[in-house]
Amino acid sequence: MFDTMKELIEYAEQNDKSFSEIMIEHEMETRGMSREEVFEMMQQNLDTMRDAVKKGTTGEGVKSVTGYTGQDAIKVHEYNQKHKALSGYDMISAVEGAIATNEVNAAMGIICATPTAGSSGTIPGVLFKLEKSHGLDNDQMIKFLFSASMCGMIVANNASVAGATGGCQAEVGTASAIAAAAAVETFGGTPQQSGHALAISLSNLLGLVCDPVAGLVEIPCVMRNAIGSGNGLISADLALAGVESRIPVDEVIMAMDKIGRNLPASLRETGIGGLAGTPTGQAIKEKIFGESSKNELFS
């Protein structure tokens, strides 16, 4: 469809179309569906995201099977209600949704992979925060997801969205970046500004390794989504303020791809290096899987 963000931005400007509208038309054409049918498919994704956030932030929340993650979204929610959060109520609201979603994922619940299960909390964290703080209606939220999808397709086709291939920069980094781009569009930014938001957000997380403790999508994955949601919101604000990425967005994506390829295997979702390779990380793995699960760290 489009090989680069530059092509997408130029097409959007020349035809006076948003990223979301371009993606909607693409889905209608490739799937042979009506606009209403395509919207309904995305509505299901939005509903799934909302259900996960609700499940993770109500009652006692959720806990993973291992018990090593869970119920932190509840703690964050209560903290945000009772204290003046250092990073602000709205930002912590985004963090709350991001953590809740990934806790539901770790607890084997149903989530919407955006773009992966490990990064599933970043976009809901941003989106539901904006709904709460800026009154987004359902139609705007659906279009937000289409816009993020359009950008995500280009990132995936030029780099990777898999931690096993490119580290967590490819997962949470991508989720954060496409959320930033979609947020800019939602609030009246230009296609160029969406491109800058994507570039800034992705630049901020370049080199982020994928080092899940015990090979499970729990530690540090849940908390990285909290950072991803905050990064996406900040990057969107920067772009809307007129700040530009000095490195073109497609070159940032290219850089992510090259960095990912150069990461050692121990830092690409193998659960061997990074935090997974610490004494505590190895002890957790041994406790979950037994003595035979111990790994020799790559030198």
Side-chain angles (χ1 to χ4, degrees):
M1 188 179 182
F2 296 101
D3 292 327
T4 64
M5 283 297 298
K6 181 180 179 181
E7 290 179 6
L8 171 62
I9 291 168
E10 289 178 347
Y11 181 86
E13 291 176 336
Q14 291 167 4
N15 294 275
D16 193 25
K17 289 184 178 180
S18 63
F19 291 173
S20 56
E21 183 59 32
I22 295 169
M23 189 63 184
I24 291 166
E25 292 177 357
H26 172 70
E27 289 293 283
M28 290 170 61
E29 180 180 347
T30 57
R31 295 178 182 273
M33 293 181 171
S34 67
R35 188 181 187 87
E36 291 71 26
E37 289 172 325
V38 169
F39 257 68
E40 178 55 35
M41 288 184 65
M42 191 60 86
Q43 181 70 57
Q44 293 175 14
N45 293 331
L46 178 61
D47 292 343
T48 298
M49 293 179 187
R50 190 182 297 280
D51 289 345
V53 171
K54 182 178 180 180
K55 185 174 182 179
T57 55
T58 56
E60 296 183 352
V62 296
K63 291 190 71 174
S64 68
V65 175
T66 66
Y68 280 104
T69 58
Q71 299 181 316
D72 284 334
I74 292 292
K75 294 175 185 176
V76 173
H77 174 77
E78 293 177 352
Y79 168 80
N80 209 23
Q81 301 305 311
K82 298 176 181 177
H83 300 84
K84 189 174 183 179
L86 303 184
S87 53
Y89 178 88
D90 288 342
M91 184 65 78
I92 295 302
S93 177
V95 167
E96 177 186 323
I99 293 176
T101 302
N102 277 86
E103 287 184 335
V104 168
N105 176 61
M108 304 301 175
I110 300 173
I111 51 88
C112 182
T114 52
T116 65
S119 60
S120 60
T122 299
I123 287 179
V126 171
L127 186 54
F128 293 120
K129 176 270 175 196
L130 293 175
E131 178 190 30
K132 184 186 300 183
S133 65
H134 288 71
L136 297 187
D137 60 31
N138 193 74
D139 189 63
Q140 288 175 307
M141 297 178 79
I142 293 291
K143 289 181 179 179
F144 179 105
L145 294 177
F146 276 117
S147 180
S149 299
M150 182 73 261
C151 296
M153 182 185 298
I154 292 176
V155 175
N157 287 339
N158 284 279
S160 172
V161 294
T165 302
C168 199
Q169 59 167 4
E171 295 201 20
V172 170
T174 297
S176 181
I178 63 179
V184 168
E185 176 183 297
T186 301
F187 289 94
T190 66
Q192 283 282 359
Q193 287 177 315
S194 284
H196 286 304
L198 195 159
I200 293 168
S201 183
L202 192 56
S203 295
N204 292 340
L205 296 180
L206 285 180
L208 184 59
V209 303
C210 184
D211 51 350
V213 172
L216 302 174
V217 188
E218 296 189 41
I219 306 168
C221 315
V222 175
M223 296 307 161
R224 283 191 180 153
N225 279 265
I227 297 302
S229 62
N231 179 48
L233 287 164
I234 292 168
S235 299
D237 271 329
L238 289 172
L240 286 168
V243 176
E244 298 183 353
S245 171
R246 299 307 179 192
I247 306 300
V249 59
D250 290 305
E251 292 183 28
V252 175
I253 295 170
M254 185 190 310
M256 183 184 78
D257 181 48
K258 289 183 178 179
I259 291 168
R261 293 176 187 277
N262 285 320
L263 286 175
S266 60
L267 300 178
R268 287 189 277 117
E269 208 173 356
T270 53
I272 296 174
L275 295 178
T278 62
T280 298
Q282 288 293 297
I284 290 173
K285 182 177 181 180
E286 183 180 345
K287 186 172 182 179
I288 294 173
F289 296 112
E291 176 73 24
S292 62
S293 70
K294 276 191 174 181
N295 284 319
E296 288 284 334
L297 294 187
F298 287 0
S299 59

